[in-house]
Amino acid sequence: MVKEKLLKCIQQAVSDTQQEGCIPLAILPDINIERPKDLRHGDYATGLPLKLARISGISPLEIAKRIINHLSLPEEIDNAVAAPPGFINFTLSDKWLCQQVSVILNADKSYGDTNLGSNTYIQFEFVSVNPTGPLHIGHGRGAVLGSTLANIFTSAGYKVEREYYLNDTGNQINIFGTSLYARYQQCLGKEADMPINGYFGNYMTALARKIISEHGEKFLQLSQQEAITQLTKIGMEKIVQGIKQDLQLLKVDFDVWYSEKDLYHNGQYQQAMEKLQQRGYITKRENATWFESSVLGEDKDNVLVRSDGSPTYFASDIAYHHSKFLQRKFDRVIDIWGADHQGHVPRMKAVLKALSIDPERLSVILCQLVTLRRGKEVIKVSKRSGDVITLREVIDEVGTDACRFFFLSRSADSQMDFDLELAKKQSVDNPVYYIQYAHARIASILRLANEKHIAYDEGDLSLLSTKPELSLIRCLTFLPETIENVVDTLQPQYLTYYSQELATLFHSFYKQCRVVSQDEALTKARLKLVRASQITLAKTLRLMGMTVPETM
RNA sequence: GCGCCUGUGGCUCAGCUGGAUAGAGCGCAGCCCUGCGGAGGCUGAGGUCGCGGGUUCGAAUCCCGCCAGGCGUACCA
């Protein structure tokens, strides 16, 4: 990429400058190349001279000039100028920019793809909601984030796996089962108490009724334990089915649904515990089994097996990560969790250390919580307490594309209000439609060209010379580094903002530059640019998991 | 109490590995269809970047303190 080339070129120039004594020998600070916000400052810039000035005592502008004298610029760069107070600004060559249009046309759907990941095997685990109730809005956030990152990493040359961890055993499942059994009995006119921490949501009663309509009263004949076992299985399957449907509605796919229960049958749990035991990280105390995370610098130890003999969620998760890293051998793992799991991060990292796995190989993205509201009214989304507005209802109300874009344009770090009233009100004037409209507009132009039988393969790109044209091309060339930026930071909002900018530049170009006109040569050149814009815009929309409309 | 996250124009949010006059969308005030989709384009008003110190040639961005909100601090997940 241009940026890398430029970096090397600057390094060379600085080193030459130093050797010739134009800059006193000094420790070279990191060279950072940025994108100036202001177009007048070129396409790339470095403030290196300002840093060197501090060390050398020479004025930064003077240093900038000396470095520029030693620069041998790559073909992509037209010129380098020193700018006060001490920047070097680089401008892309118009000729090179125009050529990029055909680079994009040739790459077509693969434009933007890189080999940055060089096939690194990486797992994204996300959503992973307990199968004890429907998804709500907060889960949607993680789902959209995870699916988009997975798309982007795939494009960047990683070997990606998307996984949903199904917590199909343990405490919460037991409570789910007893809650369902109670509702089942109640629906059949029997007295039954809900467990204290039970799932009181209305959906549980609906679930019980559904089971009655399909299976009748037969579970009343069974022993309580047997009835609960069977109801748990049936109920959970239905819930999972619903979750799968909701995710599909949100355009979120998984490669693997990994069962927590399996960890206890496939040896992962035993192996992980044995390893920790052998390495001396396990101790028995107060009748429970503990992981001694405190010796690894944690605040406290954590329970692995309760005094009643049942393993904790933490213990499962250890086995689970054992499977990820040591059994399935992912090079990197990205877990996306809700912010309410933050306390879990340091102890998970401690476990990795204990298992001699570099903790750097695990990244945990914590999504801050989402508050759902309708105007001033805050809507609770707790599964246990009762009424829920499900993710499905939100999607039905707001739309998949708008939902996805809404989540993607906000940093995972910031808590957000999802105001249904606002989301709906804005849906017509939503940035999503602005971007999609640009694509539909492009499609329409290309349709027109097609109807007029204009073949533009031979269009002469050097005819593209006006500001709107060149600005648009510039933006097109930024896609690969935008993707790289997301890969580096795990923050997809760079892509959403990019797509918006691209749409803006296209609309502006469209207004100022008539594409299909009497000027045959110019028409062909511009059609090429339009097609390249379509390729690029469609790519960003696909990466974000949104529809790519030909018409609206 | 301690830990993590957040506090940017009326609203919702970007920018936070320090850079050159602080950005976008919505909302608001105007302007633009005798040419390919007006779900569009253009112009403008609107901000002590929570507060106070510090580091630096330069701080919304880094450090310290304070204020406000969210989350965590379970033999819940």
Side-chain angles (χ1 to χ4, degrees):
Chain A
M1 263 175 265
V2 182
K3 207 169 167 179
E4 279 75 40
K5 273 197 186 177
L6 197 54
L7 183 66
K8 277 186 191 144
C9 156
I10 295 169
Q11 276 166 342
Q12 186 60 48
V14 171
S15 136
D16 290 351
T17 313
Q18 279 178 328
Q19 275 177 17
E20 290 182 22
C22 297
I23 303 176
L25 202 62
I27 309 148
L28 195 58
D30 285 341
I31 300 174
N32 75 320
I33 296 175
E34 61 193 77
R35 285 264 183 213
K37 289 170 206 158
D38 192 323
L39 291 172
R40 287 169 300 180
H41 298 138
D43 295 300
Y44 295 94
T46 179
L48 182 69
L50 289 161
K51 289 182 180 169
L52 291 174
R54 196 181 316 175
I55 310 166
S56 65
I58 303 172
S59 93
L61 214 51
E62 181 57 32
I63 293 176
K65 285 175 186 160
R66 290 182 191 178
I67 294 175
I68 288 172
N69 283 336
H70 288 82
L71 275 171
S72 54
L73 292 168
E75 53 152 1
E76 292 90 336
I77 302 294
D78 199 42
N79 63 57
V81 295
F87 291 97
I88 303 175
N89 296 332
F90 303 90
T91 306
L92 288 166
S93 114
D94 291 352
K95 187 179 166 208
W96 181 81
L97 281 168
C98 291
Q99 287 166 357
Q100 296 319 296
V101 173
S102 73
V103 170
I104 295 168
L105 293 176
N106 289 332
D108 203 342
K109 281 198 161 71
S110 69
Y111 177 60
D113 293 349
T114 60
N115 191 29
L116 194 65
S118 51
N119 239 13
T120 301
Y121 193 29
I122 186 169
Q123 183 200 52
F124 288 85
E125 183 228 316
F126 52 107
V127 190
S128 300
V129 179
N130 281 345
T132 54
L135 299 178
H136 64 244
I137 186 75
H139 303 134
R141 184 178 196 176
V144 170
L145 181 63
S147 65
T148 302
L149 282 176
N151 291 344
I152 291 171
F153 272 72
T154 303
S155 159
Y158 288 78
K159 192 179 162 200
V160 172
E161 193 221 75
R162 301 146 212 245
E163 183 156 301
Y164 188 117
Y165 179 46
L166 205 51
N167 303 112
D168 51 4
T169 181
N171 214 5
Q172 294 306 320
I173 294 301
N174 294 339
I175 295 171
F176 169 77
T178 44
S179 301
L180 183 57
Y181 183 51
R183 289 296 189 219
Y184 177 81
Q185 290 171 294
Q186 288 168 359
C187 287
L188 292 169
K190 298 247 174 193
E191 289 275 326
D193 290 331
M194 284 288 281
I196 298 164
N197 289 322
Y199 289 92
F200 284 90
N202 295 329
Y203 69 90
M204 287 297 280
T205 311
L207 183 59
R209 289 211 186 93
K210 183 119 200 260
I211 292 174
I212 291 167
S213 78
E214 289 176 15
H215 299 267
E217 303 185 9
K218 68 180 184 188
F219 299 110
L220 291 180
Q221 318 308 321
L222 303 175
S223 71
Q224 172 169 330
Q225 200 185 352
E226 187 53 31
I228 289 177
T229 304
Q230 293 195 22
L231 282 171
T232 302
K233 186 163 178 290
I234 295 168
M236 202 162 65
E237 273 167 14
K238 290 199 181 301
I239 297 277
V240 170
Q241 203 178 10
I243 288 174
K244 286 186 176 173
Q245 282 169 1
D246 291 355
L247 289 171
Q248 209 159 31
L249 208 59
L250 238 202
K251 299 252 199 74
V252 177
D253 299 312
F254 288 93
D255 304 307
V256 176
W257 290 71
Y258 198 94
S259 155
E260 178 182 1
K261 210 187 283 179
D262 284 354
L263 292 167
Y264 296 93
H265 307 308
N266 66 11
Q268 291 305 302
Y269 178 77
Q270 290 76 4
Q271 284 178 35
M273 292 305 135
E274 266 168 37
K275 276 180 199 162
L276 293 179
Q277 178 82 52
Q278 281 164 11
R279 294 166 191 226
Y281 290 109
I282 287 185
T283 181
K284 286 253 180 185
R285 200 190 309 153
E286 299 150 24
N287 238 353
T289 305
W290 295 74
F291 173 59
E292 293 198 292
S293 24
S294 55
V295 305
L296 289 160
E298 289 302 297
D299 296 346
K300 55 182 182 53
D301 296 339
N302 294 96
V303 172
L304 296 174
V305 183
R306 301 183 185 90
S307 44
D308 68 2
S310 62
T312 60
Y313 163 82
F314 181 44
S316 297
D317 227 19
I318 292 173
Y320 184 40
H321 284 79
H322 184 276
S323 162
K324 292 186 187 204
F325 286 105
L326 299 176
Q327 181 191 23
R328 292 185 279 164
K329 299 190 172 15
F330 287 104
D331 299 312
R332 275 184 78 187
V333 170
I334 316 283
D335 290 346
I336 299 177
W337 297 343
D340 53 341
H341 284 62
Q342 61 178 260
H344 194 53
V345 179
R347 58 175 179 256
M348 213 51 241
K349 294 264 189 183
V351 165
L352 296 187
K353 270 187 231 163
L355 293 172
S356 308
I357 299 160
D358 181 1
E360 290 288 305
R361 288 165 63 193
L362 173 69
S363 306
V364 180
I365 301 176
L366 292 172
C367 270
Q368 293 298 318
L369 273 19
V370 181
T371 307
L372 188 64
R373 60 171 68 222
R374 198 182 285 282
K376 296 267 179 216
E377 178 204 358
V378 174
I379 305 166
K380 297 276 185 210
V381 290
S382 166
K383 252 191 303 197
R384 287 179 209 168
S385 61
D387 292 334
V388 273
I389 288 212
T390 61
L391 178 60
R392 174 177 287 262
E393 290 169 86
V394 174
I395 298 170
D396 286 347
E397 221 172 305
V398 180
T400 300
D401 287 339
C403 258
R404 290 192 67 103
F405 194 85
F406 187 79
F407 283 127
L408 286 176
S409 48
R410 283 148 181 79
S411 152
D413 284 337
S414 64
Q415 338 158 183
M416 55 189 271
D417 282 2
F418 196 116
D419 185 345
L420 285 168
E421 223 166 67
L422 201 70
K424 263 195 306 184
K425 200 180 84 186
Q426 285 189 356
S427 63
V428 181
D429 294 308
N430 204 294
V432 183
Y433 298 102
Y434 178 83
I435 295 160
Q436 292 178 324
Y437 181 66
H439 188 273
R441 208 173 215 184
I442 289 171
S444 160
I445 297 169
L446 294 177
R447 272 196 303 273
L448 179 74
N450 194 39
E451 282 163 21
K452 293 185 179 250
H453 304 291
I454 305 171
Y456 51 90
D457 295 359
E458 303 304 318
D460 177 4
L461 291 168
S462 68
L463 295 174
L464 302 173
S465 60
T466 65
K467 196 169 165 242
E469 291 164 322
L470 291 170
S471 299
L472 178 57
I473 299 172
R474 269 194 169 77
C475 187
L476 299 180
T477 67
F478 294 165
L479 178 63
E481 66 193 65
T482 302
I483 291 174
E484 183 177 340
N485 203 7
V486 175
V487 167
D488 288 343
T489 59
L490 299 175
Q491 305 203 73
Q493 69 266 26
Y494 291 108
L495 192 65
T496 61
Y497 282 85
Y498 172 80
S499 66
Q500 221 166 334
E501 195 190 340
L502 178 53
T504 300
L505 287 168
F506 182 80
H507 285 308
S508 178
F509 155 80
Y510 172 86
K511 193 71 186 178
Q512 296 174 73
C513 303
R514 171 81 198 182
V515 178
V516 180
S517 69
Q518 301 303 315
D519 185 335
E520 225 175 278
L522 188 59
T523 296
K524 289 178 180 176
R526 284 183 172 167
L527 280 171
K528 273 189 165 178
L529 174 54
V530 169
R531 172 68 185 136
S533 302
Q534 182 183 43
I535 288 169
T536 310
L537 196 53
K539 179 76 168 201
T540 65
L541 285 167
R542 279 198 305 272
L543 287 172
M544 293 188 286
M546 302 190 330
T547 50
V548 183
E550 297 284 317
T551 59
M552 286 175 75

